[in-house]
Amino acid sequence: GGIVIPFPGIKLVDMLLARLKETGRLPFGTVASGEPAFRIAIFVALLELVRQRRVRATQATPFGEIVLEEAS
């Protein structure tokens, strides 16, 4: 079997977008904490937002913090 992620993706996308509207910039580590399944689900939601070009993810150095920003 595969990995089952018990978190509705649409709610995670909405949560990420709401947090970005509040803060403008958001370190990925501040939203991707907790259980491994939740961190994976948040990462998948982030990938979808980047794919849709709604969010920009940058990383200043290899293995450094990933910073999220609303795409303009």
Side-chain angles (χ1 to χ4, degrees):
I3 297 173
V4 176
I5 301 174
F7 304 99
I10 198 74
K11 290 184 180 182
L12 293 176
V13 166
D14 292 343
M15 186 264 307
L16 282 171
L17 290 173
R19 293 277 303 272
L20 280 171
K21 285 187 188 310
E22 291 172 9
T23 62
R25 291 173 48 101
L26 188 62
F28 179 69
T30 63
V31 292
S33 60
E35 295 186 27
F38 182 72
R39 291 194 312 254
I40 292 167
I42 286 287
F43 189 71
V44 170
L46 168 62
L47 290 176
E48 180 59 20
L49 288 170
V50 170
R51 186 188 71 77
Q52 294 175 4
R53 297 188 174 158
R54 296 170 71 187
V55 169
R56 183 174 39 254
T58 58
Q59 190 175 33
T61 61
F63 305 105
E65 181 72 72
I66 297 170
V67 178
L68 312 175
E69 297 177 287
E70 277 191 283
S72 38

